[in-house]
Amino acid sequence: MGNLLKVLTCTDLEQGPNFFLDFENAQPTESEKEIYNQVNVVLKDAEGILEDLQSYRGAGHEIREAIQHPADEKLQEKAWGAVVPLVGKLKKFYEFSQRLEAALRGLLGALTSTPYSPTQHLEREQALAKQFAEILHFTLRFDELKVELSIGPDC
């Protein structure tokens, strides 16, 4: 995988590989279809995961209130009612991360296998290269949203 990343981060066009990735029109070839379809199933859920994370609101206020008033049953129930759905969302995020990891493992295996070099893989398997870029974009956006949540007022 290191060689694939080296190809993607090459800044010296005089010495480095020179190829064109057509992300707009990239379609899987017959040899790519199995991996492409497996990754595509996971990527279809990525936007929903980002929307769920973007709408994620912590239960910090409810938890603090329940801790400060341990004898107040209504506050305890309110805190519990706020926490349980969040645990479900966190489980959904975790399960998605497991699916994404498996898809990425298969994708990287296809993009780094012999007999081709990383550059040849990127030229020959542009639909898979596009999916790799989509996964990178998703992970960057997901991490960005997590940071926004961690510095928010109700964490």
Side-chain angles (χ1 to χ4, degrees), residues 122-142:
L122 292 175
E123 289 174 336
R124 297 170 64 91
E125 298 161 338
Q126 295 201 1
L128 296 183
K130 179 181 179 182
Q131 285 183 316
F132 181 57
E134 289 173 356
I135 289 173
L136 290 176
H137 182 262
F138 166 80
T139 55
L140 291 171
R141 182 69 182 129
F142 188 88

Side-chain angles (χ1 to χ4, degrees), residues 64-80:
R64 280 189 294 280
E65 288 291 315
I67 290 171
Q68 291 173 356
H69 304 95
D72 188 332
E73 279 298 313
K74 287 190 180 195
L75 287 177
Q76 302 304 312
E77 288 178 23
K78 184 177 178 184
W80 185 250

Side-chain angles (χ1 to χ4, degrees), residues 2 9 17 25 28 40 44 60 73 97 106 119 127 131 140 143-144 148 152:
T9 60
N25 301 308
N40 206 41
K44 283 183 180 181
E73 279 298 313
S97 76
T119 304
Q131 285 183 316
L140 291 171
D143 285 346
E144 179 184 316
E148 288 175 12

